[in-house]
């Protein structure tokens, strides 16, 4: 889960709110990129979260212009 990766990398806990399922929501979804797309991720969730955290920390406004 991504929130665990962010906690390991940043030391910041993401507040989670667990709620009941809403009518029509699926319980769980799985996808196999290897089988369906013939693609495999090079990195795990912690490495992906590290890269995202580093990028967002250096450029908190992303592609938007920084406010004046």
């Amino acid at each position: 889960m991504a929130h665990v990766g962010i906690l390991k990398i940043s030391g910041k806990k993401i507040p989670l709110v667990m709620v009941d399922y809403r009518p029509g929501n699926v319980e769980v979804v799985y996808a196999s990129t290897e089988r369906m797309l013939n693609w495999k991720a090079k990195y795990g969730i912690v490495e992906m979260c590290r890269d995202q955290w580093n990028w967002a920390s250096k450029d908190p406004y992303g592609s938007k212009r920084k406010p004046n």
Side-chain angles (χ1 to χ4, degrees):
M1 297 178 136
H3 68 282
V4 175
I6 292 292
L7 176 61
K8 285 182 178 181
I9 298 304
S10 70
K12 298 184 183 290
K13 189 171 183 180
I14 298 173
L16 298 177
V17 177
M18 303 305 277
V19 296
D20 291 331
Y21 286 102
R22 296 175 296 177
N25 281 9
V26 295
E27 274 192 50
V28 66
V29 176
Y30 294 95
S32 173
T33 56
E34 285 184 66
R35 186 173 46 126
M36 296 176 76
L37 302 174
N38 197 28
W39 177 84
K40 183 176 179 178
K42 284 185 184 178
Y43 306 104
I45 192 71
V46 173
E47 293 84 7
M48 291 181 212
C49 289
R50 179 202 61 219
D51 291 346
Q52 168 58 23
W53 184 262
N54 287 338
W55 176 81
S57 297
K58 293 174 185 166
D59 190 7
Y61 301 102
S63 60
K64 297 178 183 174
R65 292 184 61 155
K66 296 180 181 175
N68 296 328

